[in-house]
Amino acid sequence: MALSNLDSVKTMIADFILAWMHHLCFLGMAAALAMQWTLLGPSRPAIPLALLGKTDAWYGSLAMLILAIGAARVAWGPKGAAFYLDNPVFWAKIAVFLAVGAISALPTINYLRWRQQARHNADFQPAADDVNKVRKAIRLQFLGWLALPILAAAMARGV
């Protein structure tokens, strides 16, 4: 009996740590996205392309980490894999996350292209139309980010 209680406590602590890390990654991704939005703001005299690229790399790295942590929660969490895998809200959350990820490809591709152009021309700055397209993609990502905590809260409450 004592071993069972110890295992239960270990599982709860592991789930707590994974949940905490999951939330930190989510907040970090939101911060990186907000930073990209700010760095591309119309009031900036010049876009800091290197910083923009680093911010996007953090965003992508945190996205991979959040997926890995989420998979660990599904596989080893106390609710069990069936709780997640049989839940349509979980799949909606995954779909929104993947859609946001797909949308994030547009800014990433532009950032890489812009940095390559800046290597050949030190005075290079992206065209306003290109910046506006990237800002629209970031805005769409923000909309997805608004849906994710709603879906997570619904899922956690068994909706």
Side-chain angles (χ1 to χ4, degrees):
M1 183 73 170
L3 183 59
S4 176
N5 286 340
L6 183 59
D7 288 342
S8 178
V9 169
K10 285 181 181 178
T11 300
M12 287 174 47
I13 291 171
D15 186 57
F16 170 80
I17 291 169
L18 288 171
W20 173 66
M21 291 171 55
H22 200 71
H23 290 105
L24 283 179
C25 288
F26 179 82
L27 292 171
M29 289 181 73
L33 196 59
M35 188 167 177
Q36 289 178 47
W37 177 264
T38 302
L39 292 173
L40 292 167
S43 63
R44 295 194 66 87
I47 296 171
L49 297 174
L51 182 56
L52 196 56
K54 288 177 186 175
T55 304
D56 189 54
W58 270 104
Y59 184 74
S61 297
L62 287 168
M64 294 298 108
L65 189 56
I66 205 170
L67 283 174
I69 293 166
R73 293 185 76 191
V74 169
W76 301 304
K79 292 179 180 177
F83 171 83
Y84 296 98
L85 301 178
D86 295 338
N87 188 326
V89 179
F90 170 76
W91 291 108
K93 184 180 165 193
I94 296 298
V96 170
F97 188 86
L98 293 175
V100 168
I103 294 166
S104 78
L106 178 89
T108 299
I109 290 166
N110 277 281
Y111 300 159
L112 292 170
R113 185 173 49 85
W114 295 345
R115 289 184 68 195
Q116 183 179 21
Q117 289 175 308
R119 280 188 211 104
H120 299 296
N121 175 2
D123 295 328
F124 172 79
Q125 283 292 298
D129 285 346
D130 288 340
V131 172
N132 288 334
K133 287 177 189 172
V134 170
R135 284 177 59 88
K136 284 180 185 176
I138 291 172
R139 211 173 307 138
L140 284 174
Q141 289 175 77
F142 273 128
L143 290 174
W145 278 104
L146 290 174
L148 287 171
I150 294 167
L151 293 168
M155 184 183 66
R157 283 152 185 84
V159 173

